[in-house]
Amino acid sequence: MYWQIIHTLTYFGDSMLLIPTAAIMAILIAWKNSNPRAVWYWIVAFCAAGAIVSLSKIAFLGFGIGSARYNFTGFSGHSAMSATLWPVMLWLLSARLTGFWRGVAVGTGYLIPLLVGASRLILHYHSHSEVITGLLLGFTLSTAFLVSQRGSQLKTFSISQLCVALLLPLLLLSHGRIATTQQFLQRLSVEIAGIDHPWTRSDLLKLQQ
């Protein structure tokens, strides 16, 4: 039961869930936000997170650019992407709430990525430096987006609209299919760098010895 909970938490940062959810959010922001530029701000924020994470991983996997001292091989994608998405998602869906309860909703959006980051550490997928920097990257982008929306007005969602908006994310959560982003980046990095195999964490740590 414990490990099932941990794997469920880590799935809240998986690209298979987050990319379709981010696309749905873009549609909802364009529909419900009074600021016509808001949807472009969101697209830039989410794509920037993905691009920065991918570049950091390609830099390591293809060229060995990392830090043995801090055990850093690139930003944790699960941490960064979840920290970019969930605060904005909960802000968007809590439009009908006011005051304290909306603060609770948005606070939950900030809590979920922290749990995702913790799950990545428990499962030994990332080092502390990778999770912390990933969270900082994602929280910076999501907070910048939310700050940019302080003067905008959100139309509230009806219950039926909320159900439709959450249908695909809930289906993806129930299915639990994992994205193959890491494998794709490994193959891409090898092609770009012209090497036989991608760099690994053990290769990096050997340099410290």
Side-chain angles (χ1 to χ4, degrees):
M1 183 66 178
Y2 171 77
W3 290 109
Q4 183 179 357
I5 293 173
I6 296 301
H7 281 283
T8 299
L9 286 174
T10 211
Y11 194 70
F12 274 83
D14 194 275
S15 296
M16 187 64 72
L17 171 65
L18 297 189
I19 291 176
T21 302
I24 292 172
M25 288 171 60
I27 295 171
L28 296 178
I29 290 171
W31 178 26
K32 294 290 188 177
N33 200 307
S34 63
N35 183 352
R37 293 191 294 262
V39 63
W40 298 111
Y41 294 159
W42 168 242
I43 291 171
V44 168
F46 189 77
C47 290
I52 293 171
V53 168
S54 297
L55 288 174
S56 73
K57 289 181 178 292
I58 290 171
F60 173 72
L61 293 169
F63 303 94
I65 300 173
S67 172
R69 179 180 179 182
Y70 295 106
N71 196 11
F72 182 81
T73 65
F75 296 103
S76 164
H78 281 65
S79 302
M81 303 302 284
S82 63
T84 304
L85 184 138
W86 292 115
V88 179
M89 179 67 156
L90 270 293
W91 165 81
L92 181 63
L93 296 183
S94 63
R96 64 170 47 241
L97 304 177
T98 57
F100 172 77
W101 291 110
R102 191 163 199 207
V104 170
V106 175
T108 301
Y110 279 91
L111 175 62
I112 291 172
L114 295 176
L115 296 176
V116 171
S119 73
R120 302 305 283 174
L121 293 175
I122 293 171
L123 293 170
H124 303 293
Y125 286 136
H126 285 291
S127 66
H128 285 80
S129 65
E130 293 161 358
V131 168
I132 291 171
T133 55
L135 289 172
L136 288 174
L137 170 62
F139 283 144
T140 297
L141 291 168
S142 59
T143 302
F145 174 84
L146 293 177
V147 168
S148 75
Q149 299 307 300
R150 286 181 298 180
S152 65
Q153 298 294 323
L154 278 178
K155 299 176 184 177
T156 59
F157 293 85
S158 67
I159 299 300
S160 59
Q161 288 172 347
L162 278 175
C163 291
V164 171
L166 293 174
L167 179 60
L168 180 58
L170 289 174
L171 286 174
L172 290 169
L173 275 171
S174 65
H175 190 276
R177 184 179 178 184
I178 298 173
T180 57
T181 310
Q182 183 69 17
Q183 292 84 345
F184 169 76
L185 288 174
Q186 287 176 346
R187 294 193 298 270
L188 179 62
S189 300
V190 167
E191 289 294 326
I192 292 174
I195 56 179
D196 294 328
H197 57 82
W199 279 68
T200 64
R201 190 181 302 277
S202 60
D203 293 331
L204 179 69
L205 296 179
K206 285 177 184 178
L207 299 177
Q208 195 177 34
Q209 298 174 358

